[in-house]
Amino acid sequence: MRFDVLTLFPELFAPLLTSGVTRRAYESKQVELVFWNPRDFAEGNYRRIDDRPFGGGPGMVMMAGPLAACLDAALAARGAAAPVVLFSPVGETLRHAAVEGWAGGEGAVLVCGRYEGIDQRFIDARVTHQVSLGDFVLSGGEIAAMALIDAVARLQSGVLGDEASHVQDSFNPALDGMLDCPHYTRPEVWNGQPVPAPLMSGHHAQIDRWRRDQRLALTAERRPELVDAARTAGRLSRADESALKKKL
Ligand code: SAH
């Protein structure tokens, strides 16, 4: 898939292309990234992309014109219509189900706001989706765009390798949307704390049951709505229900 990123600060994305999981996805071309700077589409000697807000108030607002010209160029280069995603506190908070949707798609144009935000007329005319990273305010959409790209990249096949398969991660439907279980590695005792006995047993069924129980207990404690959703979807076995009863 291909993401075209509209940003005033393309250099912020450099670490994504040169390190870790996102680098593998980028180099294998499973996730193509193309950067577009609205400043290159601004007019006049100063290549102005922002201006003061009508009605007064602090800060600057990104102008619709350069963004629209930049978006037109990105869409023309793609050669096909694409979702236009704006990162904004107004959007729906990003969750696993949406990430899976993007991971299975053709990509999108990602618009990173800066300053006080973007002229609403550009949003009304051109943006098809708004995505928030959470109930807090970032200085720009770039970190949110990187979060989406990273989360999508790790769902591409072969990018993580077998050992760290994403299907065992938190929220994955393969494990009924539960949170992940705790993990342990050597040494067997650290800081006076031993590794839980079932993990040392060598019995796969026992280990799987212990991990499942841990996932259920942790999710029931921290995110009970995820347990309810799994129950409603018929994903909880009798063994799951009795594990949940024991813990509550
Ligand atoms: N005035 C805006 C915040 C602007 S912050 C407000 O109060 O809602 C500048 C840019 O950062 C935004 O245009 C948006 O692209 C990005 N941004 C800020 N918080 C974000 C969040 N929680 N999720 C996604 N993007 C965010």
Side-chain angles (χ1 to χ4, degrees):
M1 85 218 23
R2 167 171 165 166
F3 289 108
D4 291 85
V5 186
L6 274 54
T7 171
L8 292 170
F9 300 99
E11 68 275 12
L12 289 178
F13 290 80
L16 216 59
L17 312 182
T18 54
S19 321
V21 165
T22 47
R23 172 189 164 180
R24 278 206 291 285
Y26 181 66
E27 287 183 346
S28 68
K29 301 213 173 0
Q30 282 171 295
V31 176
E32 264 185 273
L33 295 176
V34 182
F35 297 96
W36 303 86
N37 193 331
R39 201 172 290 284
D40 296 336
F41 297 84
E43 287 167 10
N45 285 349
Y46 292 103
R47 297 204 162 274
R48 186 155 196 178
I49 47 78
D50 62 336
D51 211 329
R52 286 195 294 273
F54 279 123
M60 301 296 272
V61 176
M62 288 179 80
M63 295 157 72
L67 275 170
C70 188
L71 174 59
D72 286 340
L75 288 170
R78 288 179 75 97
V84 178
V85 179
L86 171 65
F87 295 99
S88 166
V90 165
E92 199 174 314
T93 305
L94 190 59
R95 293 186 199 291
H96 180 82
V99 170
E100 271 198 350
W102 295 114
E106 296 292 314
V109 180
L110 308 181
V111 182
C112 304
R114 278 272 156 179
Y115 316 119
E116 287 306 314
I118 290 177
D119 190 309
Q120 186 63 34
R121 292 168 295 183
F122 171 83
I123 301 173
D124 294 342
R126 308 300 303 270
V127 169
T128 61
H129 297 68
Q130 298 199 57
V131 172
S132 171
L133 214 52
D135 290 353
F136 51 88
V137 176
L138 294 160
S139 316
E142 286 79 5
I143 287 176
M146 285 188 256
L148 175 65
I149 293 165
D150 181 305
V152 163
R154 69 199 312 287
L155 293 187
Q156 302 306 305
S157 63
V159 164
L160 284 189
D162 271 358
E163 278 176 49
S165 171
H166 60 76
V167 298
Q168 295 190 20
D169 285 336
S170 295
F171 310 116
N172 201 289
L175 290 169
D176 306 318
M178 297 295 137
L179 298 174
D180 196 10
C181 60
H183 300 282
Y184 299 86
T185 187
R186 291 198 290 181
E188 283 177 30
V189 179
W190 180 81
N191 198 30
Q193 304 171 85
V195 172
L199 294 179
M200 310 302 289
S201 69
H203 296 301
H204 285 301
Q206 201 182 329
I207 293 168
D208 286 350
R209 188 66 247 171
W210 182 85
R211 286 184 167 154
R212 177 78 174 174
D213 291 352
Q214 292 291 315
R215 286 193 181 96
L216 289 164
L218 182 64
T219 312
E221 185 190 320
R222 297 288 169 90
R223 300 292 300 277
E225 80 279 12
L226 299 179
V227 176
D228 291 342
R231 183 176 289 123
T232 305
R235 306 293 307 179
L236 298 188
S237 67
R238 245 185 246 161
D240 291 339
E241 293 291 4
S242 75
L244 281 166
K245 259 191 221 113
K246 250 189 279 164
K247 303 278 177 188
L248 296 175

